[in-house]
Amino acid sequence: MPTAVRTKALTLLNKVTCPHCWHLYAPEESLWISEHPDLLGDAKLGFQHAKRFLPSRFSPQGDAIDEMGQHATRMACPKCHLHVPRSMYQVPSLFFSIFGAPACGKSYFLTSMSWKLRQTLPKRFAVSLSDVDAETNSRIHEYEELQFMNPDLDTPVALAKTEEQGDMYDTVDMGDHSVSLPRPFMFNLQPLSNHPRYRRNREISKLVCLYDNAGESFFPGADKTVNPVTRHLACSKCLFFCFDPTQDTRFRRACEGKTDDPQMVSRTSRLARETSVRQDTILLEAIQRVRRHAGLRDDELHQRPLIVIVTKWDAWKNLLPDVSIEEPYLPVEGTKFCTLDSRRIKQTSDRVGELMSEICPEIVAAAEGFSTSLTFIPVSASGSSPAVDPATGALGIRPRDMQPYWVEIPMLVALHNWAGGLVGATGDSASLEDGRWMTEQLE
């Protein structure tokens, strides 16, 4: 007598957004990736990739069966054929974009942010952060190990610059042309068992797709049909613009006599030419792309937040000596957890915004003319000035000196706004109701 196979029912989302080409499709339209080693050669990805197929047979567990009888466990986008994690079919996704000029510190910021979030979220908010795909996030793992788990604590290390091509992009044949598509970093966010809303785990869990493009991708004219690597901007729930004060002549002039950071005081004319660009053109180009791909009028404000991340705070913090670098968290009485101090974050944002309005008003004007929600957050990915290699003159950070501050705050602010109760905040009237989330009693 046949044995009945009992499977656990899964609740699928009605629609899935591909994290590579941003195509919106129903789960039943998904392709599957063949498992049999002889089924190589995909029409869009090339001979070295496993064949994609639309299944007609399934196992009792719900896996597709390829034409050689192997059970397939991975799915792919029906448009670009790239792998889409199964969790994206079950958990709502949040898309966030980080952009800025070349050498503005995006890679350092992203590395320090992910490292701090892995510790801060479970410790202070009872939320776990895990990699959706270890292979996709391998670049972050490499950088985290280099900066925070390096056995050699005293040799300065430097992170490789994000390039416009390479292992962070996939090439897809779309028939009449090939396109280059970015690989996002992807993280699962879930409440832990001691989270006050753990019983609503299915409702509030999120999958975060985070995009980090080379600064050159935001140069005017770089957005092309064959290179649509920044079109995630239009899908993003929150935009993070990294502004680097060390690349701005006016900021460097304001810091004269107030810092000994080599990025501020030891810049030769050659180095300045190589690493300084008009950062307002990067912001304005990104704004135009969002308007174009999201269908916004030129005079229409974007309804999603823009967070201006002012990097390398350790190099210019003496311009705002009254702004504390202490973490903006408030303990919740009777628990070991915290909420975001939104009043403190807003006060800091106001002070940084005022400073930027004095020194680089065109950046602030462009940002205010784009988004209905604008926040300025200062961050230091290292917490200390870089050291100069006497032999090469190159700058690097000693792992021993890595003490980042406020790097996790931009993402926590974004999660408070969009993750439906995972991260609480208190301190202003707008978030007062949400700020009580930690003290709510479960039914």
Side-chain angles (χ1 to χ4, degrees), residues 169-407:
Y169 301 86
D170 291 292
T171 300
V172 178
D173 185 355
M174 291 299 189
D176 56 345
H177 62 278
S178 295
V179 300
S180 180
L181 298 173
R183 295 179 184 175
F185 300 111
M186 292 186 280
F187 303 93
N188 275 322
L189 291 169
Q190 293 180 307
L192 297 173
S193 59
N194 52 348
H195 191 285
R197 293 185 176 177
Y198 176 70
R199 293 183 185 177
R200 296 173 56 190
N201 176 38
R202 186 182 296 273
E203 299 176 30
I204 65 175
S205 294
K206 294 291 183 289
L207 188 152
V208 170
C209 293
L210 189 61
Y211 297 89
D212 171 32
N213 292 100
E216 291 83 356
S217 297
F218 293 94
F219 286 170
D223 184 36
K224 302 176 182 177
T225 301
V226 297
N227 195 43
V229 296
T230 64
R231 296 188 181 177
H232 50 79
L233 293 169
C235 301
S236 292
K237 295 293 189 183
C238 185
L239 301 174
F240 301 101
F241 171 57
C242 289
F243 174 80
D244 180 6
T246 72
Q247 291 196 42
D248 190 287
T249 302
R250 298 161 295 180
F251 253 97
R252 295 200 300 272
R253 189 180 302 120
C255 287
E256 289 179 359
K258 298 180 180 179
T259 179
D260 58 359
D261 190 293
Q263 299 170 102
M264 286 289 192
V265 301
S266 300
R267 299 172 66 96
T268 66
S269 59
R270 178 188 61 81
L271 181 61
R273 287 195 304 268
E274 289 180 354
T275 60
S276 296
V277 299
R278 283 282 301 271
Q279 296 182 77
D280 60 317
T281 63
I282 300 292
L283 176 57
L284 289 170
E285 177 67 16
I287 288 172
Q288 289 303 314
R289 294 185 193 183
V290 173
R291 292 193 187 282
R292 185 163 61 247
H293 298 302
L296 299 177
R297 301 188 313 272
D298 286 348
D299 62 343
E300 185 177 358
L301 290 177
H302 197 34
Q303 298 300 309
R304 294 177 181 176
L306 171 64
I307 296 180
V308 178
I309 299 168
V310 190
T311 62
K312 306 175 185 178
W313 191 5
D314 53 282
W316 57 272
K317 63 184 179 183
N318 289 335
L319 295 181
L320 293 175
D322 56 331
V323 175
S324 172
I325 65 173
E326 294 299 317
E327 296 176 327
Y329 303 131
L330 290 174
V332 177
E333 186 177 356
T335 78
K336 60 180 181 179
F337 301 115
C338 298
T339 60
L340 280 176
D341 185 352
S342 57
R343 181 177 290 112
R344 164 86 182 285
I345 293 171
K346 184 179 185 306
Q347 290 172 347
T348 300
S349 171
D350 291 343
R351 296 287 286 113
V352 175
E354 291 168 1
L355 178 67
M356 291 191 62
S357 293
E358 295 174 5
I359 298 177
C360 46
E362 75 284 356
I363 296 288
V364 178
E368 289 179 342
F370 169 66
S371 175
T372 58
S373 176
L374 177 61
T375 306
F376 297 89
I377 298 182
V379 307
S380 175
S382 62
S384 62
S385 299
V388 180
D389 188 323
T392 64
L395 298 178
I397 303 293
R398 294 186 180 92
R400 184 186 303 280
D401 298 332
M402 289 296 298
Q403 296 291 334
Y405 46 85
W406 279 58
V407 285

